[in-house]
DNA sequence: TTTAAAAATGGACTCTGTCAAGTATTTGCA
DNA sequence: TGCAAATACTTGACAGAGTCCATTTTTAAA
């Protein structure tokens, strides 16, 4: 069940070395970009084309095996953790991203006040802020000026 | 007070024709991209460089005079309406974006459960769905197949 | 009116991501 | 096990959005 190859078969997705390697990379390093996933994969199986990485990530997220998040101004990030409606906290300075659970409840803000006729299928919540490291940086810069 | 030139002076931003024109364009067409703002401005004052548009939009949003939103996979959008913590509803198919007020309250989801040491300054909520027009489209396509 | 600071221009460039044509793998079936 | 059809992968060109930088122009203060 948690065997990657098995997971793919369950979804009728042909098993390839590239797909397994990408799944492993996403799992090992949550919140990675396509580019860093490609690097990780190359370290494992030697080589993969950029296109294949995008293909695989597309197939996996279409099937709900991974989740894609796209913070404003940053390249898309991919993560393993699906199906639990958690959100993200992104550092404005360095882009480092961590998971957060929303304080409001299980499906926070999923209901908009007046849907304007839209059929809403997902609410994406991104918290913007400054991570501990970057706060130290800016503090020391501010005090030295 | 609502005079654009006055607004700029209040923020110690030099008044230029480009800035006034960009402000007007953002105000006239909320949820525009930088590119469509550039077109609008050219219609008004004849010419503006891409760089100037980005500069002005950057200065204005740094000063809180406009707000930048960047839905995943779409170019950044700019709007006039600031300071009231409203959210957005974006069509997955055509990208059309409308404002929504959150049902939860005044500052919905602003508090994450456990901030991981981050200093949070903003919560961005984007509702994803399908707009009325695109729903009709896909319905008619589905029934004809 | 002069001048230093700030902004705008124009053009090259980077970074993500996509398209398309050809080659290689996977899988189902004999 | 071997073969054929379907599916993936590779390579290289391309596109959109935004940034960098050197130069010219404009602003605003003296």
């Amino acid at each position: 069940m948690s065997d990657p190859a098995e997971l793919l078969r369950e979804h009728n997705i042909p098993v390839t070395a590239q797909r397994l390697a990408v799944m492993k990379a996403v799992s090992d390093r949550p919140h990675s970009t396509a580019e860093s996933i490609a690097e990780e994969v190359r370290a494992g199986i030697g080589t993969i084309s950029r296109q294949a990485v995008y293909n695989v990530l597309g197939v996996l997220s279409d099937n709900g095996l991974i989740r894609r998040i796209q913070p404003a101004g940053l390249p898309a990030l991919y993560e393993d953790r699906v199906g639990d409606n958690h959100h993200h906290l992104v550092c404005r300075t360095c882009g480092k991203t961590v998971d957060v659970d929303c304080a409001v409840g299980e499906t926070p803000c999923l209901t908009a006040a007046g849907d304007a006729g839209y059929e809403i299928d997902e609410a994406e919540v991104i918290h913007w802020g400054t991570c501990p490291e970057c706060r130290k940086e800016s503090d020391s810069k501010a005090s030295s000026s």
Side-chain angles (χ1 to χ4, degrees), chain A:
Chain A
M1 167 65 191
S2 63
D3 176 40
E6 203 52 47
L7 255 178
L8 291 176
R9 281 191 209 99
E10 278 169 24
H11 288 263
N12 293 313
I13 306 169
V15 177
T16 67
Q18 288 85 347
R19 285 185 182 147
L20 294 175
V22 167
M23 290 175 83
K24 183 171 182 317
V26 172
S27 173
D28 287 354
R29 296 207 235 163
H31 309 135
S32 306
T33 63
E35 193 47 41
S36 86
I37 289 167
E39 280 168 30
E40 179 97 354
V41 168
R42 289 191 188 108
I45 63 168
T47 178
I48 193 172
S49 66
R50 186 173 26 155
Q51 189 62 50
V53 173
Y54 283 107
N55 287 346
V56 172
L57 292 172
V59 168
L60 293 179
S61 43
D62 286 352
N63 283 273
L65 268 49
I66 62 173
R67 182 167 157 205
R68 171 197 280 130
I69 52 184
Q70 294 183 246
L74 274 70
L77 309 176
Y78 297 86
E79 70 181 354
D80 216 26
R81 190 178 156 187
V82 292
D84 66 346
N85 199 273
H86 69 280
H87 301 309
H88 296 96
L89 183 38
V90 183
C91 176
R92 284 190 193 280
T93 307
C94 69
K96 198 171 61 187
T97 300
V98 299
D99 292 333
V100 290
D101 297 307
C102 187
V104 175
E106 199 166 297
T107 53
C109 297
L110 266 175
T111 319
D115 62 5
Y118 281 52
E119 187 175 290
I120 300 178
D121 58 57
E122 187 189 349
E124 186 179 8
V125 181
I126 295 184
H127 297 268
W128 291 94
T130 312
C131 75
E133 285 77 39
C134 292
R135 282 169 71 185
K136 272 183 241 160
E137 288 270 326
S138 67
D139 282 357
S140 60
K141 237 184 272 178
S143 61
S144 69
S145 66

